[in-house]
Amino acid sequence: MSAFSTFDIAGSALSAQSLRLNLTASNLANMHNVAGDPAAVYRGRQAVFQAAQDPFGSVLAGVDVLGVIESTAEPIERYDPGNPQANEQGIVYASSVNAMEEMANMISASRSYQSNLEVINTAKDLMLRTLSLGQG
Amino acid sequence: MESIMGVHEAALLFRARRMEVLAANLANADTPHYQARDLEFKSVLDERLGAATLKTTNSRHLAIDPLASRDSLKYRIPHQPSLDGNTVEADLELARYAENAVSYQASLLFATGKINSLRAALTGGR
């Protein structure tokens, strides 16, 4: 048993939440992309989280990112013959990323990041105090 | 011989372990189907003080550490369960984490006091 596993646990959450923030940034940056082919349109990306299992039997081991999934929502069809990317019928396909959902996701990720950072800071303080136990 | 720290050594171990449990809850605040857990002070204290511990008579026997066993970990009953099956309430967990940190510091203070009084006894207060 080591008190330092708190840092591993909270650290895994920091990296998971920052991945989520990066994906939100990517989704927001690409939400206005259009394409003439529905298959080529940008699809929103989301991280999938799973509670990590410690291989040595202890039940506590932070969070794992299983992977990144792409949204299966249908792209939005729009008639825009002036667009250079429109197909022969004058149709462009726009990404179905929802800005409101992404903003809510961003706030959730940043709050979680903050609370895990707080966990690390507190644990660091306590460990430093423990190290100086009995001095002075 | 009883440790000079007395109960505070076990208390520090408990607080450090609970810190990990609460950190794991907070780390999984956004994980679907994650069930929040917590260590109960009373049950761990009972296991530490109570006589119901397994004796090891051979070096190959496994000692049971109450802090490491899964039995002392209890699942939390959420006030507001969420739709994805996650039972972590981040603000409550953070409050418990802060409370645990203060208790840890209290145990550290007691241990420091023990050390200081031992040192005073050894040096004759000089």
Side-chain angles (χ1 to χ4, degrees), chain B residues 38-119:
Chain B
D38 200 354
L39 278 172
E40 202 186 9
F41 186 77
K42 194 180 172 302
S43 67
V44 176
L45 189 75
D46 285 352
E47 276 176 81
R48 282 269 154 161
L49 300 179
T53 49
L54 294 181
K55 232 180 205 166
T56 54
T57 51
N58 185 305
S59 60
R60 289 197 204 155
H61 287 170
L62 296 174
I64 305 283
D65 181 9
L67 283 178
S69 78
R70 289 166 186 234
D71 302 338
S72 49
L73 270 180
K74 301 277 197 311
Y75 286 104
R76 213 188 276 309
I77 296 167
H79 299 289
Q80 300 173 61
S82 63
L83 206 57
D84 63 358
N86 185 304
T87 62
V88 179
E89 284 155 318
D91 37 5
L92 282 177
E93 297 295 337
L94 213 53
R96 289 190 188 99
Y97 187 83
E99 178 256 342
N100 191 55
V102 170
S103 303
Y104 187 96
Q105 293 201 32
S107 292
L108 267 186
L109 270 181
F110 282 123
T112 310
K114 281 264 184 188
I115 292 170
N116 284 344
S117 52
L118 259 183
R119 185 179 285 143

Side-chain angles (χ1 to χ4, degrees), chain A residues 33-39 41 75-78 87 89 91-95:
Chain A
N33 285 7
V34 292
D37 176 17
V41 175
I76 300 158
E77 205 178 294
R78 202 163 60 212
N87 61 13
Q89 288 86 42
I91 300 222
V92 291
Y93 294 91
S95 165

Side-chain angles (χ1 to χ4, degrees), chain A residues 2 17 20 57 112 119 130 134, chain B residues 20 28 30 70 97 104 119:
Chain A
S2 119
Q17 298 296 346
R20 210 170 138 205
S112 297
V119 165
T130 312
Chain B
E20 288 169 24
N28 285 292
D30 297 317
R70 289 166 186 234
Y97 187 83
Y104 187 96
R119 185 179 285 143

Side-chain angles (χ1 to χ4, degrees), chain A residues 1-6 9-10 12-13 17 20 49-52 57-64 108-109 112 115-116 118-120 122-123 126-127 129-130 133-136, chain B residues 5 12-13 16-17 19-32 34 37 65 67-68 70 73 90 94 97-98 100-102 104-105 108-109 111-112 115-116 119:
Chain A
M1 184 173 70
S2 119
F4 297 109
S5 67
T6 302
I9 292 169
S12 74
Q17 298 296 346
R20 210 170 138 205
F49 290 172
Q50 187 190 41
S58 164
V59 273
L60 305 160
V63 57
D64 263 349
S108 166
S112 297
S115 59
N116 281 292
E118 175 120 1
V119 165
I120 289 186
T122 310
L126 291 180
M127 288 310 116
R129 277 163 199 260
T130 312
L133 176 66
Q135 291 175 4
Chain B
M5 304 283 189
L12 279 177
L13 281 175
R17 179 70 177 158
M19 191 160 75
E20 288 169 24
V21 177
L22 296 178
N25 285 347
L26 275 167
N28 285 292
D30 297 317
T31 308
Y34 181 83
R37 283 167 300 193
D65 181 9
L67 283 178
R70 289 166 186 234
L73 270 180
L94 213 53
Y97 187 83
N100 191 55
V102 170
Y104 187 96
Q105 293 201 32
L108 267 186
L109 270 181
T112 310
I115 292 170
N116 284 344
R119 185 179 285 143

